[in-house]
Amino acid sequence: MTTIRKGGLALAGVWAVLQGPPLAAQGSTIGTFRWQLQPFCNVVTVTVVQQGGQYHVDGTDDLCGAARLASVVGRAFPNPDGTIGFGLTTVTTTGAAPVHLDARIGLQTLSGPWTDSAGNAGTFVLTAGAGAGGSPRPIPAGGIAPGSITGAQIAPGTLTGIHLAPGAINAAAAAFGTCPAGAYLRGILPSGSPVCEPIATPPLTSLTDPQGGSYTALAIGTDGLPVIAHFGDVDGTLLVTHCDNRACTSATTVAADDPVTLVGQYASIAIGSDGLPVVSHREVSTGALRVTHCHDVACTTATSTTVDNPANEVGYYTSVGIGGDGLPVISHADVTAGTLRVTHCLDVACTAATTTVADDPANLVGDQTSLAIGPGGLPIIAHRDYTASALRITRCQNALCTTAVSTTVDDPPQPVGQHLSIAITPAGVPVVSHWNGGTSALRVTYCGNAACTGASSQDLPGTTNAVGQYTSMAIGSDGLPVVAHYDQTLRALRVTHCLTVACTSSETAVADDLPPAGGGGIDPSVGGYASLAIGRDGLPIVSHQNSPPRGLRVTRCASRTCQ
């Protein structure tokens, strides 16, 4: 048996001792050992006692030669990988919270790595004396390192009012700042500043551009501000509106693409991997797909390229996303052939692209498309089967979508799949909002899994109005779908917040409406061509059309649910 001597203490066959059969004695002392918690000067001296099949560790931390020692207690155990593990707990000062330490030693050096619950780490080094020096191991007040407690350490429902001392929340809130009258503290930003949310405050709506509000598409730019692509109904141009603030109470609008031909219909916007907006839209006069790449966050200058222009009429119902390869990918409809078409850009500005037909059954498909990026960075497209009046999902099998799998996921007796919008849940499962034309209801189809082989669909209750047109869906800051859509009865914008990820239950509210015109005039309408995104503050914001006159309207919710 090999014997290793350190400071007069014999470590005789540590592996054999800890791996051997349990001793019959109630408590047999294996030995007393010393380790330094390098890079700190703390040295722990512990005695290992075998109790049946367990190995109890008991001793002290010298706190680098302090007048008072800290207790150390724990267990030693053999690991399947051949190392010896130690689980130790120490209390450094009277009334302090315990700090837990995990160490692992190898049999050749009898040393190894260690970490503790206060955020410290280093090497657990066998030593004969007082150690090799260094500074004392830092122990924060209460034994908890700053920033070490996150949601991962708190199980749902474990922290309730009975665990909080009176005034604890007020004291914590005061350390970050307070909210003004009429608002409540909703959270704390990573910067430490409070997030205040108005109490019972309705959504805020502003009219940002009178030149046109058709085919609106909204995204949140890298500056944290909304940027909106829309069609210039007056001049037939592609317009881009950049908001000056999160609520978009003021904004700047530019003509981002204004060739001789009409452009800007069926606009869709995404923020590229270069941090700049990229817009897909239809070139009306030539029946082609066009892409505009902005040169700055406000799109004051841009480059536009016709990327797909066959003999057929293409570029209808465009939807753009940024694939896992960092390049724009666009779904759109070939209305001549009745097929779903996917164009994959070859550079971030989409100055060149390749196009493939992703779905071409006997039926007419591709009517109304919505694209999202699913697991693996691959496009997933919701689109309508026009012949069957059904909802269809196409999953690209590669970045260019040269191969794809298409499935009909909702086909009731009523016509469904119109005014659709797709989003991907945090679990990677597609969910689609669309319109049930037979019941004039908002309908949601939840795929059930990433492959969408177990889809379920339901009309959402909550109103007797005709609703569900011009849907736009996003996943809210609570991980649940939120949908903007048009209330045809009230000619208003409505926002529905799902209470489950499959939207089996929901709550809905009118987010923006206008009083009737009266006097025999045409009642104004808002909520058409809705496009919803989630701002950096977690609040939904919606671009939509005001008519008459046709103009761009923006509604920012005052709560995460917009209720």
Side-chain angles (χ1 to χ4, degrees):
M1 176 181 295
T2 300
T3 300
I4 300 176
R5 295 188 177 273
K6 295 286 184 178
L9 299 177
L11 300 182
V14 174
W15 174 247
V17 170
L18 294 181
Q19 284 287 77
L23 300 180
Q26 290 296 317
S28 300
T29 300
I30 304 301
T32 300
F33 314 108
R34 299 165 63 89
W35 279 277
Q36 181 180 354
L37 303 178
Q38 291 184 1
F40 306 111
C41 55
N42 300 65
V43 173
V44 295
T45 302
V46 297
T47 299
V48 178
V49 177
Q50 184 177 20
Q51 295 178 324
Q54 301 292 320
Y55 301 93
H56 180 75
V57 178
D58 194 2
T60 59
D61 182 336
D62 72 349
L63 299 180
C64 299
R68 297 180 61 181
L69 306 179
S71 67
V72 175
V73 65
R75 294 284 180 180
F77 46 88
N79 286 314
D81 64 1
T83 62
I84 303 298
F86 289 84
L88 308 176
T89 299
T90 179
V91 178
T92 58
T93 60
T94 303
V99 177
H100 305 288
L101 183 146
D102 291 307
R104 186 176 69 252
I105 65 171
L107 297 178
Q108 298 300 318
T109 63
L110 299 179
S111 300
W114 69 271
T115 59
D116 71 15
S117 59
N120 305 307
T123 305
F124 201 61
V125 178
L126 190 69
T127 180
S135 60
R137 180 167 61 120
I139 301 296
I144 301 174
S148 61
I149 296 180
T150 67
Q153 282 80 43
I154 304 174
T158 59
L159 184 61
T160 66
I162 63 173
H163 303 101
L164 301 174
I169 295 297
N170 292 337
F176 295 104
T178 58
C179 291
Y184 69 93
L185 180 66
R186 186 169 66 84
I188 304 295
L189 295 173
S191 63
S193 59
V195 177
C196 300
E197 190 164 293
I199 299 173
T201 301
L204 175 65
T205 296
S206 58
L207 183 65
T208 63
D209 184 66
Q211 299 300 308
S214 301
Y215 305 105
T216 82
L218 184 149
I220 305 300
T222 53
D223 57 0
L225 300 177
V227 57
I228 307 157
H230 52 113
F231 178 61
D233 298 276
V234 176
D235 298 324
T237 62
L238 171 68
L239 300 177
V240 173
T241 294
H242 179 262
C243 298
D244 296 331
N245 52 57
R246 289 180 178 178
C248 209
T249 54
S250 64
T252 301
T253 299
V254 298
D257 186 19
D258 188 12
V260 177
T261 57
L262 297 177
V263 295
Q265 285 189 343
Y266 302 104
S268 178
I269 191 170
I271 305 302
S273 57
D274 58 358
L276 300 176
V278 59
V279 183
S280 61
H281 52 111
R282 181 171 181 264
E283 187 173 332
V284 182
S285 301
T286 61
L289 173 66
R290 197 163 172 88
V291 173
T292 295
H293 177 259
C294 299
H295 297 164
D296 53 77
V297 293
C299 209
T300 56
T301 60
T303 299
S304 297
T305 307
T306 298
V307 295
D308 186 21
N309 188 18
N312 288 0
E313 288 276 335
V314 300
Y316 284 85
Y317 308 107
T318 82
S319 183
V320 63
I322 308 301
D325 58 2
L327 300 177
V329 58
I330 305 154
S331 63
H332 54 113
D334 179 336
V335 298
T336 304
T339 60
L340 172 67
R341 210 162 169 89
V342 174
T343 295
H344 179 268
C345 299
L346 300 179
D347 54 71
V348 293
C350 206
T351 58
T354 61
T355 298
T356 185
V357 174
D359 189 20
D360 185 15
N363 287 3
L364 298 178
V365 297
D367 176 43
Q368 304 189 23
T369 83
S370 180
L371 179 147
I373 303 302
L378 300 179
I380 300 178
I381 305 160
H383 54 110
R384 183 170 180 254
D385 182 328
Y386 179 84
T387 304
S389 294
L391 175 65
R392 199 161 171 88
I393 294 285
T394 292
R395 295 180 294 109
C396 298
Q397 303 299 292
N398 52 47
L400 275 64
C401 208
T402 53
T403 59
V405 176
S406 298
T407 309
T408 296
V409 295
D410 187 23
D411 187 14
Q414 302 91 357
V416 298
Q418 296 184 56
H419 302 278
L420 52 81
S421 179
I422 190 172
I424 307 297
T425 71
V429 178
V431 57
V432 184
S433 61
H434 51 114
W435 183 52
N436 186 333
T439 59
S440 292
L442 173 65
R443 192 169 177 87
V444 170
T445 295
Y446 176 68
C447 279
N449 53 50
C452 209
T453 56
S456 60
S457 302
Q458 61 274 322
D459 289 356
L460 302 192
T463 178
T464 57
N465 293 357
V467 298
Q469 293 177 317
Y470 299 108
T471 81
S472 180
M473 173 183 283
I475 302 301
S477 56
D478 56 2
L480 300 175
V482 56
V483 187
H485 53 110
Y486 180 59
D487 185 323
Q488 187 176 7
T489 303
L490 296 179
R491 302 170 66 88
L493 172 69
R494 186 175 283 274
V495 174
T496 295
H497 174 255
C498 297
L499 299 177
T500 65
V501 69
C503 213
T504 52
S505 60
S506 60
E507 52 189 349
T508 186
V510 172
D512 184 27
D513 64 351
L514 295 171
I522 300 176
D523 285 345
S525 171
V526 295
Y529 298 104
S531 179
L532 182 147
I534 306 299
R536 287 189 179 177
D537 54 5
L539 302 179
I541 185 166
V542 186
S543 62
H544 52 111
Q545 185 186 54
N546 181 97
S547 180
R550 293 183 179 180
L552 175 65
R553 198 168 174 91
V554 176
T555 297
R556 179 177 182 261
C557 297
S559 68
R560 290 170 294 168
T561 63
C562 208
Q563 303 301 306

